[in-house]
Amino acid sequence: MKHKVKVGFWETIARIILKNRILILGIIAAITIFLGLQWKNLGMTYTEANLLPKKHIVNQQYEEFLSRFGEEGNLIVIGFKDETFFTPKAFAAWNDLMTGLKSAKEVELVVSINDLKTLQKDTINEKFELVPFIDAKQTVNADYLKQKKNELFKKLPFYEGLLFNKQSGSIRSAVYLDKKVVNTADRKTFIIENLVPKIEKFEKTTGIDLRVSGMPYIRTINAENMKGEIGLFIGAALLTVSLIFFFFFRSFRATFISIFILLFGVMWSFGTLGLFHYKITILTAIIPPLIIVIGITNCIFLINKYQQEIKIHHNQAKALQRVISKIGVSTLMTNLTTAAGFATFMITGNDLLFEFGLVTSLNVISVYLLTLVVVPIVYSFMSVPKEKHLYHLSKTYISSLLDWVEKIVITKRSVIYSIYGLLLIFSLIGVLQMKVSGSLIGEMPKSASFFKDITFYEKEFHGVMPLEIMINTKRKKGVMKLSTMKKMDELQQTITQIPELSPPVSIVNLVKYSKQAYYNGNPEYYDLPTSQEQGFIFSYAKNATKNSKDNLMKSYVDSTGQYARITTFMKDIGTQEMAKVEAKIRKKTDEIFPKDRFEVTLTGKALVFQKGTSYLIDNLIESLIFAILMIAGLMAYLFRSFKMVMASVITNVLPLCITSGLMGYFEIPLKPSTILVFSIAFGISVDNAIQFMAKYRHDLLANNGKVKKSVFSALRETGISTFYTSVVLIFGFAIFTLSSFSGTIALGGLISCTLLFAMFANLLVLPALVLTFEKKKAKNEV
């Protein structure tokens, strides 16, 4: 009785669609116009991906740090390693470059050799004063510049590691952007229209190759690369699926109908992003091509069913009605499972993944509904397909493939299970070799020019990713106590010994420099003052900054003097290495800072990302389990059979295991981009299982419970669509390997690999399991 009600429901839907064709097309046009108007809200993201929930303790600590010291990711570094720099021509060009940048409204501060200030003792007023290191009038003198080079490297240890590398001779300048523009479009405008042209002009004038880095610069150039790839992916996805679709169906009109639907799907996906005012990120950028790749499978199922019905009875009205009533329910379930795979990202607690999961799942359902109504409506206005359009249904290679599958399933089920078991063991061994990794720049394109600059700074200055240590002395002006300084200096010495980190900078460096300045700039006195020296040296420093806006201490000590900041930069190391570095620092801080008198917090973008990676992987594993259970629940509702659900889940878990194993063997780390593969791939691969099981259940009723006949009739009808959709999906996801982003390449390659294994599993393992689970019924059949 339930079956009749369900069929009646879908037949009613079919009648509504076919009787209201013009009205429905008008509604589609109205929705498209409305979503098209939302495109004005689209824009690129100007912030890094925060993988942690806002209320996570690590995020709260980072926000507290920002509230006290401001945005820490506002540094752009411009460096070089060239012996010809200290010549009048090159130095003049450098001075023009730095002066031009300093005058830009987006720049807060420039620290560079051309206008470097040094501390000098003023004995009359008993204070330190900042005096120019370079006399601009003498920069036309080559000998003077060589003398200043010698002084820089030998007499100014305060700037070592900050502006120069004493061992290699490399030099850099520090450009600090206004913290208000760091996460806005003004940052992009400044870098693209101001910074880059000035850099190119300097290089052309001097022949010196400048290396530019820092998170604002990296993020901007990275966003530009990402923007360029959106069009590439959409074009490549449309071209790929269209060519494969035409190769299979050999019908221009079927191909054009599908492209028409996919283009509307793309417009709707951009419109949905705009409707929610979501920014385009590295994840949301792949939604439109994802919709193309996933949406084409709906077209394949509906058009293939329509042509099969035409081939049987040549009645167009009957064929169109059956397309909706027979395929509608199974494609609904397949799209629900695909949407469920994406929707599980919404429970991770991460805003970036929530946006990706919400928009993708909504558009998977919308492109399904679009296909369900547009395909029958458009075909209803056309003539019946000719025989040449139906030729693909009886192609030799498809028939031969299905004959081979049927033979193997009948006679070699034990071989299928043995291979399944061996692949499972092989996969589990590989899974044990998997590693977790994640870094701020690890997902960025290795071929980009800025990536080579990153390696330069890793070699010369130990990296560009900021790691911050905030020390709460729990009392006002506690930072300036000599005992606190000594503890900070001891911690900084430990940091200096960690090869992955750069020499740290804090108030300690400035106090050491103050002592050196007090002793007339003698570098031998670059050290913390003794208790006897402390009073008058600190009074000199206090007098120097009392009425000055250029208080050198404000960046490293808060206004109350209770909080201090130690800044270091780190190389692009993986999550596990980062955890080791963190453990070393925490061990030292626990030793030298008593917890009853100090509170020490490790933070910074690099650490937040590392913690976010670990958090995300844990939550995505949970979301994958949730996806499997949710999809199993949907299938249980549809088939009302525990055996059938188990057969489908077992079949489609194996491809996930094989992919995991291959990741272990080929040393592909588990990171945010690769962990996404499993929920997406499972949600898509199980679609073919649902199509088979729905047809099997239908045929089982039609064949009076005959299992074998129903299994092979279902295999014959759904096998063609399974093969077609799998090939389209495999090649469709493979287009993401065209990306310059390693994470996107991994995403596309691994999903394609998973779907390849899933195709053979659904063609071989699934029918075999159904026959095994229903062995008793099958044995009694004639």
Side-chain angles (χ1 to χ4, degrees):
M1 184 68 188
K2 286 182 180 179
H3 175 66
K4 289 182 180 179
V5 172
K6 192 172 290 186
V7 170
F9 169 78
W10 284 99
E11 286 180 342
T12 302
I13 294 295
R15 284 196 295 270
I16 292 172
I17 291 172
L18 296 173
K19 284 184 177 181
N20 299 277
R21 296 176 298 176
I22 303 301
L23 174 63
I24 291 172
L25 290 177
I27 292 171
I28 291 172
I31 293 172
T32 304
I33 292 170
F34 170 75
L35 291 175
L37 294 173
Q38 308 308 310
W39 283 32
K40 65 180 183 293
N41 300 322
L42 289 173
M44 301 298 295
T45 181
Y46 295 104
T47 59
E48 289 104 349
N50 190 335
L51 304 179
L52 290 169
K54 290 179 180 178
K55 294 184 179 180
H56 195 281
I57 183 63
V58 173
N59 254 345
Q60 291 177 345
Q61 290 173 342
Y62 183 58
E63 290 299 324
E64 183 187 2
F65 169 83
L66 293 180
S67 69
R68 297 192 181 280
F69 296 103
E71 173 63 46
E72 44 117 22
N74 65 329
L75 172 64
I76 296 176
V77 286
I78 305 171
F80 55 86
K81 186 178 180 181
D82 196 299
E83 293 293 330
T84 65
F85 174 72
F86 286 94
T87 59
K89 179 183 177 183
F91 198 86
W94 181 260
N95 186 61
D96 289 342
L97 170 63
M98 291 299 122
T99 303
L101 293 177
K102 195 173 184 179
S103 64
K105 68 180 188 300
E106 296 88 357
V107 174
E108 184 179 87
L109 174 68
V110 175
V111 182
S112 177
I113 291 171
N114 64 298
D115 63 351
L116 194 64
K117 302 293 191 298
T118 57
L119 280 180
Q120 185 172 296
K121 183 172 66 172
D122 180 354
T123 54
I124 297 174
N125 297 307
E126 293 188 343
K127 68 176 185 178
F128 294 122
E129 59 181 358
L130 290 169
V131 298
F133 175 63
I134 299 284
D135 183 353
K137 295 178 182 178
Q138 296 193 55
T139 55
V140 293
N141 187 332
D143 292 334
Y144 173 78
L145 290 175
K146 288 180 181 178
Q147 176 194 333
K148 284 299 176 181
K149 175 185 177 183
N150 186 58
E151 287 182 26
L152 177 70
F153 283 94
K154 293 183 178 180
K155 295 186 178 182
L156 293 175
F158 175 72
Y159 291 110
E160 185 176 353
L162 182 64
L163 292 184
F164 66 87
N165 183 324
K166 188 175 181 179
Q167 282 71 37
S168 68
S170 56
I171 293 172
R172 69 177 178 181
S173 67
V175 179
Y176 293 90
L177 297 186
D178 184 343
K179 292 168 183 175
K180 295 177 182 177
V181 307
V182 170
N183 295 319
T184 68
D186 291 337
R187 182 199 77 208
K188 185 199 97 170
T189 303
F190 165 72
I191 289 173
I192 300 299
E193 298 180 10
N194 194 337
L195 176 67
V196 172
K198 283 182 169 62
I199 295 290
E200 291 173 348
K201 180 183 176 182
F202 174 87
E203 290 178 329
K204 187 176 180 180
T205 302
T206 64
I208 295 174
D209 182 21
L210 292 185
R211 306 287 188 168
V212 187
S213 196
M215 294 314 297
Y217 178 79
I218 292 171
R219 286 157 52 192
T220 301
I221 304 301
N222 200 46
E224 291 301 298
N225 290 340
M226 184 170 65
K227 189 191 297 183
E229 290 195 353
I230 296 175
L232 170 68
F233 288 152
I234 292 174
L238 272 174
L239 180 63
T240 301
V241 299
S242 299
L243 288 175
I244 297 173
F245 187 94
F246 181 76
F247 175 77
F248 286 149
F249 285 89
R250 302 296 172 93
S251 169
F252 282 108
R253 68 179 181 182
T255 305
F256 286 135
I257 290 169
S258 301
I259 292 174
F260 171 82
I261 292 169
L262 298 177
L263 286 173
F264 270 70
V266 168
M267 289 190 285
W268 286 20
S269 63
F270 277 123
T272 309
L273 285 170
L275 181 65
F276 290 116
H277 292 265
Y278 290 159
K279 298 297 182 183
I280 296 176
T281 65
I282 193 168
L283 277 181
T284 54
I286 67 173
I287 292 176
L290 269 178
I291 295 303
I292 291 173
V293 174
I294 294 169
I296 195 69
T297 61
N298 294 320
C299 297
I300 289 173
F301 278 119
L302 268 70
I303 293 174
N304 190 60
K305 177 63 177 176
Y306 173 66
Q307 292 183 350
Q308 284 178 338
E309 290 292 329
I310 290 294
K311 187 175 182 180
I312 293 170
H313 49 69
H314 294 281
N315 186 325
Q316 187 182 50
K318 186 177 180 181
L320 291 173
Q321 189 180 55
R322 286 193 173 181
V323 164
I324 300 169
S325 62
K326 302 295 184 185
I327 298 297
V329 63
S330 59
T331 49
L332 172 62
M333 290 303 298
T334 60
N335 282 274
L336 282 176
T337 55
T338 301
F342 287 105
T344 54
F345 297 138
M346 296 168 62
I347 65 171
T348 60
N350 174 261
D351 290 343
L352 187 71
L353 283 174
F354 179 89
E355 294 173 6
F356 175 68
L358 175 63
V359 174
T360 310
S361 55
L362 284 177
N363 278 278
V364 165
I365 299 302
S366 66
V367 80
Y368 156 72
L369 294 173
L370 194 62
T371 310
L372 183 66
V373 298
V374 170
V375 168
I377 287 174
V378 172
Y379 269 113
S380 70
F381 288 110
M382 295 181 172
S383 58
V384 175
K386 298 177 182 178
E387 193 61 36
K388 64 179 181 179
H389 298 140
L390 310 178
Y391 172 71
H392 70 96
L393 297 172
S394 56
K395 281 183 181 176
T396 307
Y397 70 88
I398 292 290
S399 298
S400 300
L401 174 65
L402 294 177
D403 288 341
W404 176 81
V405 167
E406 188 173 321
K407 181 181 177 182
I408 294 296
V409 170
I410 293 172
T411 61
K412 305 286 185 181
R413 284 207 293 276
S414 58
V415 174
I416 292 174
Y417 298 147
S418 298
I419 294 173
Y420 186 106
L422 289 172
L423 285 174
L424 194 59
I425 294 169
F426 170 83
S427 302
L428 292 175
I429 295 171
V431 169
L432 296 175
Q433 300 176 41
M434 288 179 71
K435 295 180 180 179
V436 176
S437 179
S439 72
L440 266 173
I441 59 177
E443 303 283 357
M444 296 179 183
K446 304 290 188 293
S447 59
S449 59
F450 70 77
F451 203 89
K452 296 174 184 176
D453 293 345
I454 290 171
T455 58
F456 170 82
Y457 284 103
E458 288 194 345
K459 181 181 178 183
E460 301 294 330
F461 295 96
H462 298 272
V464 294
M465 294 187 294
L467 179 65
E468 303 283 354
I469 302 168
M470 185 170 66
I471 300 168
N472 178 6
T473 63
K474 297 185 178 181
R475 57 193 179 279
K476 290 186 177 181
K477 299 183 180 178
V479 173
M480 301 311 294
K481 291 177 67 69
L482 188 58
S483 59
T484 303
M485 294 279 184
K486 288 180 177 178
K487 291 178 186 295
M488 291 174 65
D489 189 35
E490 186 179 348
L491 176 58
Q492 289 190 199
Q493 289 175 21
T494 299
I495 292 172
T496 303
Q497 293 169 3
I498 299 174
E500 295 86 358
L501 300 179
S502 69
V505 179
S506 74
I507 187 65
V508 171
N509 302 66
L510 186 58
V511 171
K512 287 181 178 182
Y513 189 27
S514 298
K515 179 176 177 177
Q516 179 189 350
Y518 185 82
Y519 287 103
N520 302 314
N522 189 337
E524 292 182 5
Y525 287 93
Y526 184 74
D527 199 0
L528 286 174
T530 63
S531 55
Q532 290 81 12
E533 296 167 327
Q534 178 186 6
F536 53 82
I537 289 177
F538 279 10
S539 69
Y540 264 67
K542 185 178 180 182
N543 290 336
T545 58
K546 185 162 48 177
N547 298 313
S548 171
K549 293 181 180 179
D550 298 322
N551 189 333
L552 295 176
M553 297 185 186
K554 68 180 181 180
S555 295
Y556 295 101
V557 181
D558 80 322
S559 58
T560 66
Q562 179 176 328
Y563 291 85
R565 163 191 186 183
I566 298 175
T567 300
T568 181
F569 293 90
M570 63 181 295
K571 296 180 180 180
D572 180 29
I573 56 178
T575 305
Q576 293 176 331
E577 292 301 315
M578 177 69 186
K580 292 177 183 177
V581 169
E582 181 190 357
K584 287 179 184 177
I585 296 175
R586 289 196 185 279
K587 182 181 178 182
K588 191 64 179 178
T589 57
D590 290 343
E591 285 178 9
I592 60 180
F593 292 100
K595 292 188 177 180
D596 59 328
R597 291 191 290 128
F598 296 92
E599 183 181 345
V600 181
T601 303
L602 266 69
T603 187
K605 292 186 185 297
L607 185 73
V608 171
F609 190 87
Q610 181 258 327
K611 295 292 185 185
T613 298
S614 301
Y615 171 86
L616 190 60
I617 288 172
D618 291 340
N619 278 268
L620 284 174
I621 291 172
E622 290 179 10
S623 73
L624 173 61
I625 295 170
F626 181 74
I628 293 173
L629 293 176
M630 182 193 293
I631 291 169
L634 287 171
M635 294 174 71
Y637 174 77
L638 178 65
F639 302 125
R640 310 294 171 91
S641 168
F642 178 75
K643 290 180 180 180
M644 298 301 99
V645 173
M646 286 303 298
S648 301
V649 172
I650 290 171
T651 298
N652 287 282
V653 164
L654 176 63
L656 301 183
C657 294
I658 294 173
T659 302
S660 302
L662 290 175
M663 286 174 65
Y665 287 119
F666 290 103
E667 298 183 347
I668 300 172
L670 201 60
K671 53 185 178 178
S673 56
T674 54
I675 193 68
L676 293 176
V677 167
F678 302 104
S679 294
I680 295 173
F682 183 78
I684 294 173
S685 66
V686 80
D687 290 354
N688 288 323
I690 291 175
Q691 290 287 352
F692 172 83
M693 297 302 292
K695 179 60 180 170
Y696 165 71
R697 181 171 174 269
H698 174 271
D699 289 358
L700 196 64
L701 293 171
N703 295 324
N704 298 318
K706 291 183 178 179
V707 174
K708 288 183 181 178
K709 185 177 180 180
S710 302
V711 165
F712 295 120
S713 64
L715 184 61
R716 283 283 167 184
E717 181 164 328
T718 63
I720 297 173
S721 295
T722 296
F723 179 74
Y724 284 178
T725 56
S726 296
V727 170
V728 170
L729 285 167
I730 289 165
F731 281 96
F733 276 101
I735 62 108
F736 291 116
T737 60
L738 298 173
S739 174
S740 57
F741 294 87
S742 60
T744 310
I745 294 170
L747 181 75
L750 290 171
I751 290 179
S752 293
C753 181
T754 307
L755 295 177
L756 176 63
F757 291 120
M759 177 179 71
F760 288 105
N762 281 304
L763 285 173
L764 291 167
V765 179
L766 183 58
L769 283 173
V770 172
L771 288 174
T772 299
F773 287 161
E774 301 290 357
K775 188 185 294 184
K776 289 183 180 179
K777 291 182 181 178
K779 192 178 290 184
N780 297 324
E781 293 176 11
V782 180

